[in-house]
Amino acid sequence: MMFKKQVWVLNEMWQQIENEYGPVEWEIGAPGKPYAKWVAEMAVGLDTGVPWIMCKQEDAPDPVIDTCNGFYCENFKPNKPYKPKMWTEVWTAWYTKFGGPVSRRPAEDMAFAVARFIQNNGSFFNYYMYHGGTNFGRTTAGRFIATSYDYDAPLDEYGLLNEPKYGHLRDLHNAIKLSEPALVSSYAKVTWLGKNQEAHVYSSKSGVCAAFLSNYDPAFSVKVTFQNMQYDLPPWSISILPDCRTAVYNTARISSQCSQMKMTPIGGGLSWESYTEETPSADDSDTLSTSGLWEQINVTRDSSDYLWYMTDVSIASDEGFLKNEKEPLLTVMSAGHALHVFINGQLSEPFMEDWKTQS
């Protein structure tokens, strides 16, 4: 219990060695285990005086603490009962890929996940991301990941408040802070209030008390009785009672303001560079050409991972093959990751559908 109390006081004073190495270890098997043990011992041997953690590392050796990353971590348990239950990455959304949808996670769902983690004896949680950002150049997380790393975070890519998520989570944190004296004094005592309803109660010998009233029914609101008082719980929600009487917060009820941001373009825009491939003729013996696409690194000077190839094909009305009433056939040997064909200035949708089914 002392370790649990210390974690609340230390808050973010911990250090991490490796990141999500556990899944890699599962893939490579036995050879991966000695490395996990070595890296943990090396970190502890630095004698920094601050606890070390390893994310998603079920076999983290003492005294290193294994922690959870994910959308939901309420059922996570560290590999030893005397280690604190820590959620190092509360995923606020997901990556944005080129051509893919922008990921969003409702504020109500995030608040429910965090409250459920705390009511299940959670000691620490940390958002990923709490502040979005921008990955310029080649600093993005992986292949085909967009420059924007907004992540639907409470503070967006530009540092602006992402409402109502920011305000709703702020109110959640305040409710948890009010409950802190009871949370650090005991583990939760759980009782059932109905078929899908629970009460998690924390109390101390000095008399402080905090309760979390949960409704796990995804469709129906319920009225529950707790300590001779009635409480209304919306579907899939948790109410926090810092004094075991007053419901100061419910994860499904948003009281913070909503806002809509308008993006206004500024002058200048993006900077584009273009390279024109010369078409050789009978008189251009010194002109080089290729039968395929130019190699990307040579074209972009290895300064960008993105390249847009464009070409025009002009067909005169007196072309010989048109006399045989044959339609022109366009064959593309490489489409990269996206291909658009325009005929007389109009996007050719039938061509795009044929390409999608064949690729």
Side-chain angles (χ1 to χ4, degrees), residues 57-127:
Q57 189 71 42
E58 295 178 355
D59 60 354
D62 285 354
V64 177
I65 305 165
D66 57 312
T67 69
C68 183
N69 292 348
F71 288 108
Y72 306 97
C73 285
E74 68 275 2
N75 294 321
F76 164 78
K77 292 182 179 180
N79 59 20
K80 296 292 176 59
Y82 47 78
K83 294 181 180 181
K85 179 175 177 176
M86 301 175 67
W87 190 357
T88 40
E89 289 188 15
V90 184
W91 295 342
T92 57
W94 201 242
Y95 306 103
T96 300
K97 293 186 176 182
F98 282 104
V102 176
S103 179
R104 301 293 184 197
R105 187 179 185 188
E108 300 93 328
D109 183 61
M110 281 208 64
F112 178 85
V114 171
R116 195 173 183 184
F117 175 77
I118 293 298
Q119 77 170 11
N120 281 281
N121 300 303
S123 294
F124 172 92
F125 59 91
N126 177 71
Y127 294 101

Side-chain angles (χ1 to χ4, degrees), residues 3-301:
F3 203 0
K4 179 183 175 70
K5 292 178 182 177
Q6 289 173 353
V7 169
W8 275 94
V9 175
L10 288 172
N11 199 9
E12 294 190 12
M13 293 178 61
W14 44 263
Q15 298 170 117
Q16 178 181 344
I17 186 71
E18 268 296 353
N19 183 56
E20 298 187 352
Y21 177 73
V24 178
E25 182 180 316
W26 303 336
E27 288 292 327
I28 63 179
K33 293 185 177 297
Y35 170 75
K37 183 175 183 297
W38 172 83
V39 76
E41 292 177 347
M42 181 272 292
V44 174
L46 297 175
D47 195 23
T48 61
V50 177
W52 283 93
I53 66 166
M54 295 180 79
C55 303
K56 300 180 73 171
Q57 189 71 42
E58 295 178 355
D59 60 354
D62 285 354
V64 177
I65 305 165
D66 57 312
T67 69
C68 183
N69 292 348
F71 288 108
Y72 306 97
C73 285
E74 68 275 2
N75 294 321
F76 164 78
K77 292 182 179 180
N79 59 20
K80 296 292 176 59
Y82 47 78
K83 294 181 180 181
K85 179 175 177 176
M86 301 175 67
W87 190 357
T88 40
E89 289 188 15
V90 184
W91 295 342
T92 57
W94 201 242
Y95 306 103
T96 300
K97 293 186 176 182
F98 282 104
V102 176
S103 179
R104 301 293 184 197
R105 187 179 185 188
E108 300 93 328
D109 183 61
M110 281 208 64
F112 178 85
V114 171
R116 195 173 183 184
F117 175 77
I118 293 298
Q119 77 170 11
N120 281 281
N121 300 303
S123 294
F124 172 92
F125 59 91
N126 177 71
Y127 294 101
Y128 187 94
M129 304 290 292
Y130 191 81
H131 192 321
T134 309
N135 293 312
F136 296 104
R138 295 183 175 179
T139 59
T140 185
R143 298 178 64 194
F144 313 131
I145 302 300
T147 301
S148 172
Y149 209 82
D150 184 84
Y151 235 80
D152 198 27
L155 294 176
D156 74 4
E157 181 178 2
Y158 308 102
L160 304 176
L161 302 184
N162 179 13
E163 297 289 9
K165 182 173 284 186
Y166 174 87
H168 195 48
L169 294 179
R170 174 203 58 208
D171 296 343
L172 168 65
H173 305 155
N174 288 336
I176 294 174
K177 183 64 177 178
L178 290 173
S179 307
E180 184 177 2
L183 290 172
V184 299
S185 300
S186 69
Y187 287 100
K189 181 181 179 181
V190 184
T191 58
W192 287 96
L193 303 177
K195 181 180 179 181
N196 295 306
Q197 292 77 43
E198 288 180 342
H200 292 242
V201 180
Y202 291 82
S203 58
S204 71
K205 294 180 180 179
S206 63
V208 295
C209 179
F212 293 71
L213 308 184
S214 309
N215 178 22
Y216 301 134
D217 193 303
F220 298 100
S221 297
V222 295
K223 189 181 295 290
V224 299
T225 300
F226 174 71
Q227 294 190 357
N228 299 320
M229 296 182 64
Q230 286 194 329
Y231 299 88
D232 293 315
L233 301 179
W236 202 248
S237 74
I238 296 174
S239 284
I240 301 178
L241 289 61
D243 59 358
C244 282
R245 293 183 60 83
T246 308
V248 302
Y249 181 87
N250 180 273
T251 59
R253 296 191 180 107
I254 294 181
S255 59
S256 58
Q257 72 176 45
C258 295
S259 62
Q260 287 186 336
M261 289 176 288
K262 180 181 179 181
M263 305 302 294
T264 303
I266 61 175
L270 295 174
S271 175
W272 290 84
E273 293 185 57
S274 62
Y275 304 86
T276 302
E277 181 179 14
E278 297 182 28
T279 303
S281 66
D283 299 328
D284 293 330
S285 58
D286 59 345
T287 301
L288 300 177
S289 66
T290 177
S291 59
L293 298 177
W294 276 21
E295 205 283 322
Q296 178 168 337
I297 292 181
N298 288 338
V299 175
T300 63
R301 282 44 168 184

